[in-house]
Amino acid sequence: MEVTTALSGAVKRKVKKKIWLWLIGAGMPLLIFLSIVLAVCMFPLFILGGDSLYYSPGYEYDMYYGSESGGAAFKLTGTGEFLFPINTQKIVITSGFGMRMHPVLKERKLHTGIDIACDTGTPVLAVSGGTVSFAGDGGGYGNLVIIEHPGGYKTYYAHLSVISINNGTVISAGELIGKAGNTGFSTGPHLHFEVRKDDSPIDPAPFLGLVQDIPNVLPEELKYTEIDAHKLKTFLDGRDSMLSDEPYFSAIMDSAREYDVSPVLLFAITGQEQSFVPRSHKDAIKIANNPFNVFHSWREYNTDIRDSSRIAARTVINLSKNRPDASNPIAWMNTRGGSGGYAEDPNWWVGVSKIFNQLRQVAAL
């Protein structure tokens, strides 16, 4: 009896061993296959640099830079904090900052900088003083130089043909850092230039003093008019709004003036999107830097108030293109007749209009 039991146990162990060997043999090819699929899916993230790593699913701001075919018209105002990174008589921005159709992946991606057209070998200059924190192969960026500046800012210079500076070098504005090229993930000679604040990409154009020439198609009631700023601040304070504080209030007012957009409209959008950002909210500081929810939301696009208010101002102008004369202008920028606009909620414009009319009375001179 004991011998029979021992034999039975040995047989069971052999059967179990064969089953495990079979499972391993059958499962290993499947595991290898899944690993290959995962590697193929992840490969673009490693070769495409910032364009792929900063994807935002929002479509609301496709029209920020107008035509996606490139060649948007810009001019230098001479008011930028940074120097322009190349010396050129004619500025051609072939791809601006913002959502675009990726030229290879054919998906909507956040383009994290601007592409400046130039020939291979064009000298590239540091836009401001700082310390070189990276100089080398940047994967999809090609030959890349990153400079750290005071205040948590970084500038990126990508696709260089030559790097003329070493990592760790302290550099001054206007110094040569390399030459433009076509290295990395690039379809032609150009300089990809980025500005990042606390490692989040923001629109470089204002820092360079670049202004896009876009026709202001807003109706007169939505264009810039002087208001009683004190009354508006008092109204916002009464709602415990962080937007009555600085630099938020002045940044929104400055963007309204710069792009000839009603400041009341911009504040009305913040009221609809974020209830004017109550100071008591645990994320008030983050929300106050993007109270317009540009590029989908403040959670996904971490920026500063100057950047987000400029994007919002340009967005409402571009979303107002081709508006039928008889249509409500705020309703049109909401949905653009069903083709997608500022917000997915088709009744967004109702709330914005109500707040707009209220603020216009509050802040009237």
Side-chain angles (χ1 to χ4, degrees):
M1 184 68 178
E2 291 179 357
V3 174
T4 303
T5 302
L7 288 173
S8 177
V11 170
K12 287 181 179 179
R13 285 193 294 273
K14 286 183 178 181
V15 171
K16 287 182 179 180
K17 184 176 181 180
K18 287 183 177 181
I19 291 174
W20 277 110
L21 290 174
W22 182 85
L23 288 174
I24 293 172
M28 188 60 68
L30 178 61
L31 181 61
I32 293 173
F33 173 75
L34 292 175
S35 299
I36 293 173
V37 170
L38 179 62
V40 170
C41 292
M42 292 297 292
F43 184 65
L45 294 179
F46 291 102
I47 67 169
L48 300 184
D51 288 347
S52 291
L53 296 177
Y54 287 89
Y55 169 63
S56 174
Y59 64 87
E60 299 94 322
Y61 306 98
D62 296 351
M63 299 193 63
Y64 171 38
Y65 271 102
S67 172
E68 293 185 333
S69 61
F74 282 82
K75 60 183 179 182
L76 276 177
T77 63
T79 59
E81 299 175 29
F82 294 162
L83 299 177
F84 201 68
I86 63 173
N87 289 322
T88 179
Q89 296 297 318
K90 181 181 180 181
I91 297 172
V92 178
I93 307 299
T94 56
S95 186
F97 178 89
M99 298 300 293
R100 69 171 183 177
M101 182 65 72
H102 196 282
V104 175
L105 298 180
K106 305 303 179 185
E107 296 178 1
R108 303 208 67 76
K109 301 287 183 182
L110 176 62
H111 187 226
T112 53
I114 59 174
D115 291 343
I116 305 169
C118 56
D119 295 329
T120 296
T122 300
V124 176
L125 313 175
V127 298
S128 184
T131 302
V132 177
S133 60
F134 183 88
D137 184 358
Y141 284 112
N143 291 328
L144 171 68
V145 170
I146 301 175
I147 301 177
E148 293 189 4
H149 308 279
Y153 289 96
K154 294 180 182 179
T155 51
Y156 283 50
Y157 311 77
H159 308 304
L160 303 176
S161 60
V162 175
I163 294 176
S164 305
I165 202 75
N166 295 320
N167 192 23
T169 302
V170 177
I171 196 167
S172 300
E175 279 193 52
L176 179 71
I177 62 170
K179 295 182 179 180
N182 189 31
T183 58
F185 195 77
S186 172
T187 57
H190 72 285
L191 173 66
H192 174 86
F193 176 75
E194 292 186 17
V195 175
R196 298 197 179 200
K197 169 68 172 174
D198 298 328
D199 288 322
S200 293
I202 56 179
D203 185 8
F207 292 89
L208 299 175
L210 277 177
V211 175
Q212 186 182 5
D213 287 334
I214 52 176
N216 191 338
V217 295
L218 291 174
E220 289 302 317
E221 65 267 25
L222 297 185
K223 289 184 178 180
Y224 183 83
T225 53
E226 293 292 338
I227 63 171
D228 190 321
H230 176 72
K231 288 181 180 178
L232 180 55
K233 276 194 171 186
T234 300
F235 173 88
L236 294 172
D237 271 330
R239 281 149 184 77
D240 192 35
S241 170
M242 197 161 185
L243 300 183
S244 67
D245 300 337
E246 297 298 343
Y248 311 106
F249 188 87
S250 292
I252 296 174
M253 292 295 296
D254 290 344
S255 294
R257 191 177 298 108
E258 180 179 356
Y259 293 106
D260 193 18
V261 174
S262 167
V264 171
L265 175 61
L266 294 183
F267 278 103
I269 291 174
T270 71
Q272 176 65 20
E273 291 286 333
Q274 292 296 342
S275 301
F276 301 115
V277 193
R279 295 186 183 95
S280 57
H281 195 288
K282 64 182 181 67
D283 292 313
I285 294 178
K286 292 182 179 179
I287 299 173
N289 278 312
N290 187 1
F292 310 94
N293 283 334
V294 297
F295 295 127
H296 201 260
S297 79
W298 63 270
R299 293 181 184 276
E300 295 174 63
Y301 186 61
N302 306 123
T303 183
D304 60 36
I305 185 59
R306 180 177 59 175
D307 181 47
S308 68
S309 60
R310 282 170 164 162
I311 293 174
R314 290 193 182 192
T315 298
V316 298
I317 293 174
N318 279 318
L319 289 177
S320 299
K321 292 177 180 177
N322 304 317
R323 179 180 65 86
D325 292 337
S327 66
N328 181 292
I330 298 179
W332 177 260
M333 70 177 66
N334 182 178
T335 63
R336 285 189 292 170
S339 60
Y342 199 103
E344 295 179 4
D345 179 4
N347 294 315
W348 174 88
W349 72 275
V350 177
V352 173
S353 298
K354 182 178 179 180
I355 299 171
F356 175 78
N357 291 327
Q358 181 184 16
L359 294 184
R360 190 158 57 170
Q361 292 181 2
V362 167
L365 290 173

